[in-house]
């Protein structure tokens, strides 16, 4: 179905970016209103599109920008899953960022690139061809770099350089892979997978390695994960965006597209590529958990947790079994809402009480109970405790592993959950059961409007994390939507 709806989802954040760049700092109230207004409009549009998609409609906008190569924006159910996540969390992160920075320096630049980053993530989700995907994938890299380096100090600039080194190298590998494949089979559209029958098996394997390796950089798969902990030099709103919505999800989303919409599960199984990728994802899951356990800085611990958790998505996609596919797809949403909760809470703790190190968490639950309650929900969800959403993901991945005759994956999931408990539960113990330092001043957690804008978005995402687990059986839950995607094309 031809429509301008996908184009509108690109133009809305573009408009917010232009307004943010154009308005001077003295007009910050207008800039904030424009950002919040556009985010709300986009949420309304996506809600409408979700209702239409349930009726089986697919929205597409197409433009021939090169001879034989179309620029395609297509809203299929998988794209809508990612777009809905990004739009919902974009609104909450905008509220959070306005409160976090208040009237800090360089905010027109920050919110301009912030909106470009959301534009790129939306474009990645809606890309209907491999070339369209690559264009938005690169825009995401370029739009995110100024956010990583936003503070402008040496640590931030170094983090930005490391980020660009990793991600641009990954982009080169991914571009080489898709151009190589297109030279053999023609333009690649995700809705109509290419005919790979005449391509030699070795060639297909090498192209797969190039593409997954390139995408694996943004997905922080071991050993291409090094940029992610370094990027914690960025402000908390940027960390939340990187880990929950934008960069790491773009990489994982691209891997799902490559396996199911380019190669197809039959070809991946025939070439024997699924098991090695599942093994690499499992190594990343355990490695990230072990490294998280070793961190004394709160944001660094959360960063290595992301290295581990995003690979659950890759693991589910590579196992191919019905429940594994659903578990991987639903974790794309579950990990996002739980991880953004944790990062927004970490930012609130640093902003309000100066807490950055894990050793400083003592008594934080008594002084900021709403913040720490939200953090606790996110942490328990990451461990896999019911009824939080993370339990649903791990349950489906475990059953999917058994369906795929990969019982060893159950041991990986169990080991990861134990490690998750080992690096999250001590944080909760310190925050709730130890007394605060005598010299820490008392605060009123929700005293001002700014305080509420800083803290309540995390409380809302924590409630959504609980709701996604408790009401998982509902049709419009993340699990229900992931099941619809899987049954609609990924299990055939």
């Amino acid at each position: 179905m031809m429509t301008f709806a996908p184009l509108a989802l690109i133009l809305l954040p573009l408009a917010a970016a232009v307004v943010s760049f154009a308005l001077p700092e003295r007009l910050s109230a207008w800039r904030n209103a424009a950002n919040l207004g556009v985010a709300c409009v986009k949420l309304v549009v996506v809600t409408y599109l979700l209702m239409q998609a349930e009726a089986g409609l697919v929205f597409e906008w197409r433009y021939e920008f090169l001879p034989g190569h179309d620029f395609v924006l297509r809203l299929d159910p998988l794209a809508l899953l990612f777009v809905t996540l990004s739009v919902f969390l974009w609104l909450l992160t905008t509220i959070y960022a306005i409160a976090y920075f208040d009237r800090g320096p360089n905010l027109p630049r920050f919110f301009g690139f912030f909106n470009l980053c959301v534009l790129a993530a939306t474009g990645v989700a809606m890309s209907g061809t491999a070339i369209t995907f690559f264009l938005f994938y690169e825009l995401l890299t370029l739009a995110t770099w100024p956010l990583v380096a936003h503070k402008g100090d040496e640590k931030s600039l170094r983090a930005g350089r490391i980020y660009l080194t990793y991600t641009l190298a990954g982009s080169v590998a991914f571009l080489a892979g898709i151009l190589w494949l297109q030279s053999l089979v023609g333009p690649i559209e995700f809705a109509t997978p290419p005919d790979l029958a005449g391509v030699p098996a070795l060639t297909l394997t090498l192209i797969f390695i190039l593409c997954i390796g390139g995408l694996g950089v943004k997905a922080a798969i071991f050993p291409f994960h090094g940029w992610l902990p370094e990027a914690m030099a960025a402000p908390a709103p940027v960390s939340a965006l990187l880990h929950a919505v934008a960069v790491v999800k773009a990489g994982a989303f691209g891997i799902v597209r490559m396996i199911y919409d380019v190669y197809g599960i039959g070809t991946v199984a025939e070439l024997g590529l699924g098991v090695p990728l599942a093994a690499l994802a499992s190594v990343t899951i355990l490695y990230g958990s072990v490294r998280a356990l070793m961190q004394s800085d709160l944001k660094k611990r959360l960063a290595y947790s992301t290295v581990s958790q995003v690979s659950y998505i890759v693991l589910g996609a590579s196992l191919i079994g019905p429940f594994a596919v659903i578990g991987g797809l639903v974790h794309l949403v579950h990990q996002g809402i739980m991880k953004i909760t944790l990062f927004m809470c970490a930012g609130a703790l640093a902003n309000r009480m100066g807490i950055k190190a894990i050793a400083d968490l003592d008594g934080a639950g008594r002084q900021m109970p709403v913040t720490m309650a939200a953090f606790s929900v996110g942490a328990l969800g990451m461990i896999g405790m019911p009824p939080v959403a993370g339990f649903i993901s791990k349950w489906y991945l475990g059953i999917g592993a058994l369906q795929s005759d990969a019982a060893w994956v159950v041991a990986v999931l169990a080991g990861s959950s134990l490690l998750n408990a080992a690096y999250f539960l001590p944080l909760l113990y310190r925050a709730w059961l130890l007394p605060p330092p005598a010299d820490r001043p008392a605060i009123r957690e929700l005293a001002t409007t700014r305080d509420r804008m800083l803290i309540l978005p995390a409380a809302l995402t924590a409630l959504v994390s609980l709701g996604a687990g408790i009401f998982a059986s509902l049709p419009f839950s993340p699990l229900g939507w992931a099941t619809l995607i899987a049954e609609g094309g990924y299990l055939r």
Side-chain angles (χ1 to χ4, degrees), residues 9-29:
L9 294 180
I10 295 296
L11 294 178
L12 284 168
L14 178 61
V18 171
V19 170
S20 297
F21 282 126
L23 291 180
E25 185 54 47
R26 60 187 174 82
L27 298 178
S28 60

Side-chain angles (χ1 to χ4, degrees), residues 274-489:
V275 173
L277 182 56
L280 182 59
S282 297
V283 169
T284 306
I285 288 169
L286 296 176
Y287 171 83
S289 297
V290 171
R291 289 300 304 270
L293 189 59
M294 300 165 60
Q295 306 305 311
S296 58
D297 178 86
L298 181 57
K299 283 181 67 177
K300 280 283 186 75
R301 181 165 291 196
L302 296 179
Y304 277 107
S305 172
T306 297
V307 172
S308 173
Q309 290 283 334
V310 170
S311 277
Y312 283 110
I313 303 168
V314 180
L315 178 63
S318 58
L319 286 175
I320 297 174
F323 272 52
V325 173
I326 294 170
L329 290 175
V330 77
H331 198 61
L332 186 131
V333 176
H334 289 170
Q335 189 271 346
I337 56 179
M338 293 185 299
K339 185 49 64 80
I340 205 168
T341 301
L342 293 170
F343 269 107
M344 287 195 292
C345 290
L349 290 167
N351 190 285
R352 295 296 312 281
M353 295 200 299
I355 293 175
K356 297 181 180 180
I358 290 168
D360 296 332
L361 277 171
D362 295 3
R366 304 183 190 184
Q367 297 181 297
M368 296 184 67
V370 176
T371 302
M372 283 311 306
F375 187 96
S376 299
V377 170
L380 293 175
M382 288 296 181
I383 295 169
M385 294 286 291
V388 191
F391 168 76
I392 303 295
S393 301
K394 294 189 179 184
W395 179 262
Y396 270 74
L397 286 169
I399 295 176
L402 297 177
Q403 287 179 331
S404 303
D405 295 323
W408 55 272
V409 169
V410 177
V412 172
L413 295 173
S416 174
S417 293
L418 289 174
L419 288 167
N420 295 161
Y423 66 73
F424 273 125
L425 293 182
L427 276 57
L428 304 187
Y429 171 79
R430 282 181 171 276
W432 291 112
L433 299 180
L434 294 183
D439 58 348
R440 181 186 291 166
I443 67 167
R444 293 175 59 200
E445 187 178 19
L446 302 174
T448 67
T449 299
R450 176 176 177 263
D451 295 337
R452 291 188 284 274
M453 290 176 65
L454 184 69
I455 292 164
L456 294 183
L460 178 57
T461 54
L463 290 175
V464 173
S465 300
L466 280 169
I470 295 171
F471 302 108
S473 61
L474 296 181
F476 266 88
S477 71
L479 178 63
W481 200 257
T483 303
L484 175 70
I485 294 168
E487 292 176 346

Side-chain angles (χ1 to χ4, degrees), residues 1-13 42 45-46 48-49 57-62 71-76 79-80 83 119 122-128 132 136:
M1 177 180 178
M2 296 296 293
T3 177
F4 284 98
L7 185 61
L9 294 180
I10 295 296
L11 294 178
L12 284 168
K42 192 174 176 182
V45 172
V46 170
Y48 167 77
L49 293 174
L57 296 180
V58 174
F59 301 91
E60 183 179 287
W61 185 84
R62 182 181 295 264
F71 183 91
V72 180
L73 299 176
R74 190 170 188 272
L75 272 169
D76 60 12
L80 271 170
V83 168
L119 181 157
T122 304
V124 163
M126 297 192 301
S127 294
T132 308
F136 282 112

Side-chain angles (χ1 to χ4, degrees), residues 162-240:
I162 293 172
Y163 173 71
L164 281 181
T165 300
Y166 273 87
T167 53
L168 290 179
S171 296
V172 169
F174 178 57
L175 179 62
I178 60 175
L179 290 180
W180 189 0
L181 187 59
Q182 287 201 165
S183 71
L184 299 172
V185 301
I188 300 169
E189 293 207 16
F190 298 141
T192 54
D195 182 6
L196 305 178
V199 183
L202 178 60
T203 300
L204 286 176
T205 299
L206 293 176
I207 292 172
F208 188 84
I209 291 171
L210 276 174
C211 291
I212 298 301
L215 294 165
V217 173
K218 276 194 171 74
I221 294 177
F222 177 86
F224 310 123
H225 65 284
W227 65 271
L228 189 55
E230 295 296 330
M232 291 305 95
V238 179
S239 301

